[in-house]
Amino acid sequence: ADTVCIKQYGVVPSLECPAPYKAIRGSVETFTQFEIDTNIPLGDFAVATAYVGPTRDWIRSVQPEQGMLVVDTKPNPGDDVCKAVVNLSYVDGWEETFSANLYITQADKDDEFGREVSFADVRALATTEGTAVDEDILIEGIVVSDFHSKNMEANPSVSYDKVDVTVNDCTAYLESPDGRYGFRLRFDTPEDNVLARGTRLSLSLSGTVLTREENPERYTISSLVGENMVESVAGEAIPVKQRRISELTDDDVYTFVSLENTEFLFKEGSYANVYENYSLSSDVNASQTGNNNRMDGWASLVRDSEGGAIYMLVNTLCAWRRAGKPLPQGMGPLSGVVVHTPMRRYGGDMGRYSIRPLDEGGIG
């Protein structure tokens, strides 16, 4: 006798929180609501609360209520800010776990979170060696990257046939509300980076490292964890920055810019004309055999109506990089995050500025 077992997929579980960071008052009891985008009944989730720091048990309950997750908190009698992480998890029929973290920052007894500073103040604190921040200072900006995108940063080759693809997933970009300055954010792990484009974010710099790099001048906030995010609001409009290529300055690095009247200099092929056997394995080249996984990115030369030129960078894990259709033949805007990215496989120098579209929608 023999037995054949057949299992069939049903609805694939999905779970995401558009605004997973909440800042609450400390002087009074509060009820905080988290909107959860999921097709799983909220009552089916396992809930676990982890406190960050010495203060414990200031969360009374975490309960689903009318499609929201409601967190009931006690007042904070102390002078220190309290932090906690609420984890939601669900195990489906295939023993796969789906989870999301919700971050709560409670102000002190006087409803204060720390001292808010400007982007210019933070830039002044950064050094080439890296400045460790040991005080409660906060900045507020708008996220112009997206953690869903595979085109946020170049993933480095760590050996002949291995690329560290976590670097892209650990990278985000935060722009000042006026659009003038930008910071590159480097998280410790990909799981901590759940920042979506158009999120207004309040960020605590305590425990982070501020680094300044030259030629071009650019700034990175690293050693970030989820607990550094104080509060987030989804759906914020991105400041409009329209530039000609010749008008770009160092202040534009790590900000979201729309380059006017651009075209691809070479209009044949795809967005990434890389030899597929060198590129990273993905859905794009699933039929390929012998991939050596050595090449992460490709650079396409773009020029504008004034003759200025810039490289558009696309990682080989982007599914839209080779979509079976020709490149756009005409001129139009090219929108993305301005970066400075040396690429060793191109001899290192990609010019002072390059641009990374978040997805194909940035290529007008």
Side-chain angles (χ1 to χ4, degrees), residues 120-265:
D121 293 332
V122 177
R123 286 160 61 102
L125 290 174
T127 60
T128 55
E129 300 81 15
T131 300
V133 180
D134 58 1
E135 59 176 320
D136 287 330
I137 57 176
L138 298 91
I139 58 172
E140 184 175 286
I142 300 172
V143 178
V144 295
S145 54
D146 198 303
F147 76 101
H148 299 99
S149 175
K150 293 300 181 182
N151 202 39
M152 293 295 88
E153 182 61 284
N155 292 307
S157 297
V158 294
S159 65
Y160 176 78
D161 58 353
K162 182 180 179 181
V163 174
D164 180 7
V165 296
T166 66
V167 174
N168 178 92
D169 298 337
C170 289
T171 302
Y173 298 96
L174 187 70
E175 188 174 304
S176 58
D178 62 2
R180 181 176 181 181
Y181 296 128
F183 289 122
R184 178 173 58 181
L185 307 182
R186 280 283 171 82
F187 288 84
D188 285 349
T189 66
E191 291 75 22
D192 286 327
N193 177 22
V194 290
L195 297 180
R197 183 174 185 265
T199 298
R200 179 173 283 269
L201 180 70
S202 177
L203 172 65
S204 170
L205 299 182
S206 178
T208 65
V209 177
L210 312 177
T211 305
R212 184 184 75 246
E213 297 175 90
E214 303 291 347
N215 297 318
E217 186 177 327
R218 58 203 190 277
Y219 297 84
T220 299
I221 303 174
S222 58
S223 298
L224 281 165
V225 294
E227 291 83 351
N228 286 111
M229 311 300 114
V230 176
E231 187 168 31
S232 62
V233 179
E236 190 75 13
I238 305 295
V240 177
K241 291 183 69 174
Q242 293 182 325
R243 297 282 191 272
R244 298 182 179 90
I245 294 174
S246 62
E247 295 173 338
L248 291 174
T249 70
D250 290 3
D251 286 350
D252 294 316
V253 176
Y254 302 152
T255 69
F256 193 84
V257 174
S258 181
L259 300 176
E260 300 176 347
N261 298 321
T262 61
E263 65 176 344
F264 288 101
L265 199 59

